[in-house]
Amino acid sequence: MRRRWTRRLAAAVLLLGLVARSAHSQPAAALVAVLLDSSGSVSPRELDRARQLSLEVLRSLPPGSEVAVFTFDDQSRLVLPRTTRADEVKRALDGARTGGRHTALYDALYDASRYLRDSGADRTAILLITDGRDEQSTLNVEDGLRLAEEGRIPVFAVGVGQVEERGLRRIAKLTGGQYHGAREASGAQLVAAMMAAAPAARPAGPSSPQPGTMPRAPAPTTAGPMGRPPQPAAGGSGNRLAAVIAALVVLAAIGLGLVRRRRGSPPPAAAAPDLSSTVVSRVGGTTEEYLEKTVVLRSKAVLAVTRGPLAGQVFDLSPVSATSLGRSKANDLVLDDVSVSSQHCRIRPEDGAFVLLDLKSTNGTFVNERRVTSHKLAEGDVIRVGEMQLQFRTDQRRS
């Protein structure tokens, strides 16, 4: 018996040594947000070059790295949440098409910076491929820059088409990134610079997830980028630390088992969940039944149309990107009303809340019958655009 425990202890020590050695030899994984300018000012040929460069970056990233894809034209949108799957990234890049009349560059910079800040990844970077023009963003460039600087998220800007270099160079410099023209940029060079940048800044203490926070992607069941074996989703250093801790726990368990065997004491019984008798009695009196019948409810921000052609319909608001309202079919919520402007207003998530912004509409945007240019929405607020009314509220959905 003693020999068997000795062999187990030796195996655990060997495992701990291997984990510690790998912590020094493996490069840290990263989470990279790719921002593609899909506005009409970027030609299809230039967009193709942007796709090629993005794939070069993907192939050059360390094992276990993740990529998220954003596109922006009239508005910013997250088209692919973080993943290690190269095929999913390629599909998202191939699906990007030029369109729209405006370029919401600053909105995209803000959305990507917030997404990376809330990701929990140890090493992050933004690959921004654009001509540098911004039109009709609801935010200023300083809003996205502030988040990127605070989170130590470097922006690597690549100029395509008729580039406005000055703005892109400023974004790259202030965030600790680099600027390159599309012709001289290479994926390997960009990744080397990303890996040399300082790790992302982590919050000082625990915080509750905000509506804009995306859950971590589950570990894939097939190979990651470039056919590498899939790695854990988070940054490499965090996973290696977890592995070291796990090995220490194994050692502690083995040691505790040896002590108990010597003393002849039985292992402690598993503690029952701390549930009040009142709660348990409501579902029949057993903890197992309580756990089986628990239903998780999640809050979802919505717009309910109370007056107009769409009366009675309810539309979800995105927790990660802006929702546009207007008469044009390019909007997320198309309002078929001649008194509504083509691009009338936009609702975007900000720090756990939703903010309504008027886009210089002809007839104005009203909240509770007061004209606004910017308004932080509260439960029950009534929004009027043209002759249509919509109520902002939070619904509870079963999960």
Side-chain angles (χ1 to χ4, degrees):
M1 181 67 67
R2 181 173 298 176
R3 289 181 180 178
R4 185 173 64 184
W5 281 102
T6 302
R7 286 197 299 269
R8 291 182 181 178
L9 182 60
V13 171
L14 177 61
L15 171 64
L16 182 60
L18 291 174
V19 170
R21 187 181 304 171
S22 67
H24 295 285
S25 60
Q26 293 182 0
L31 171 57
V32 177
V34 176
L35 276 62
L36 285 185
D37 187 340
S38 56
S39 66
S41 61
V42 174
S43 71
R45 181 179 178 181
E46 290 158 351
L47 187 59
D48 281 340
R49 172 56 185 147
R51 289 193 192 96
Q52 293 170 10
L53 182 61
S54 301
L55 291 173
E56 288 177 21
V57 168
L58 174 66
R59 289 191 288 266
S60 302
L61 286 170
S65 294
E66 298 174 280
V67 172
V69 180
F70 290 76
T71 61
F72 58 96
D73 38 62
D74 288 340
Q75 62 180 325
S76 160
R77 60 184 69 85
L78 173 65
V79 296
L80 179 67
R82 54 192 293 187
T83 180
T84 59
R85 295 284 300 272
D87 56 337
E88 292 182 358
V89 177
K90 186 177 186 305
R91 195 156 48 241
L93 295 172
D94 289 342
R97 295 290 182 271
T98 57
R101 298 189 302 171
H102 305 294
T103 311
L105 166 59
Y106 300 157
D107 286 355
L109 177 62
Y110 177 89
D111 290 342
S113 297
R114 189 182 64 171
Y115 184 85
L116 295 181
R117 180 200 65 183
D118 296 341
S119 69
D122 292 327
R123 188 174 295 277
T124 58
I126 291 175
L127 175 63
L128 172 62
I129 309 178
T130 177
D131 59 11
R133 300 177 187 175
D134 179 87
E135 301 168 316
Q136 296 289 333
S137 278
T138 55
L139 300 175
N140 297 320
V141 65
E142 307 302 333
D143 296 313
L145 280 175
R146 174 176 51 82
L147 287 183
E149 290 180 80
E150 289 175 357
R152 288 204 294 272
I153 304 167
V155 179
F156 293 84
V158 177
V160 294
Q162 301 295 319
V163 186
E164 296 185 5
E165 283 192 15
R166 184 174 181 181
L168 293 180
R169 289 185 180 278
R170 178 173 182 264
I171 291 171
K173 187 173 183 64
L174 289 177
T175 58
Q178 296 177 358
Y179 169 79
H180 298 273
R183 292 182 179 179
E184 67 268 16
S186 76
Q189 177 187 18
L190 288 167
V191 169
M194 291 175 186
M195 296 301 102
R202 297 271 64 87
S207 59
S208 345
Q210 299 178 0
T213 304
M214 293 297 297
R216 289 178 180 269
T221 56
T222 58
M226 292 299 292
R228 301 183 181 110
Q231 304 291 330
S237 60
N239 289 330
R240 288 192 291 271
L241 178 59
V244 172
I245 293 173
L248 290 174
V249 170
V250 171
L251 285 172
I254 292 173
L256 185 59
L258 286 171
V259 172
R260 282 184 182 147
R261 284 189 175 275
R262 288 179 180 177
R263 294 180 179 176
S265 58
D274 185 14
L275 299 175
S276 73
S277 58
T278 304
V279 172
V280 174
S281 65
R282 288 178 184 171
V283 293
T286 67
T287 300
E288 289 77 7
E289 290 179 5
Y290 171 80
L291 294 175
E292 289 176 3
K293 296 185 180 181
T294 300
V295 175
V296 178
L297 297 177
R298 297 189 184 278
S299 298
K300 182 70 177 178
V302 300
L303 288 180
V305 184
T306 58
R307 190 175 75 186
L310 302 177
Q313 297 192 38
V314 178
F315 299 91
D316 292 349
L317 292 175
S318 170
V320 295
S321 60
T323 301
S324 60
L325 292 78
R327 200 174 68 251
S328 167
K329 293 182 179 180
N331 291 286
D332 298 302
L333 179 49
V334 180
L335 305 178
D336 189 12
D337 181 344
V338 292
S339 60
V340 174
S341 296
S342 177
Q343 300 283 336
H344 197 102
C345 61
R346 192 171 291 164
I347 299 175
R348 64 177 305 112
E350 257 183 57
D351 297 326
F354 285 85
V355 177
L356 172 69
L357 302 114
D358 181 72
L359 298 178
K360 299 180 181 178
S361 60
T362 303
N363 294 315
T365 301
F366 296 80
V367 176
N368 303 327
E369 293 306 320
R370 182 174 62 88
R371 186 164 184 165
V372 299
T373 55
S374 176
H375 176 82
K376 185 177 180 179
L377 292 169
E379 184 74 17
D381 276 350
V382 176
I383 304 166
R384 179 164 64 84
V385 289
E387 297 182 357
M388 301 186 68
Q389 282 189 352
L390 309 95
Q391 185 183 48
F392 172 80
R393 71 181 192 218
T394 303
D395 285 355
Q396 298 293 327
R397 305 280 179 86
R398 293 164 68 100
S399 175

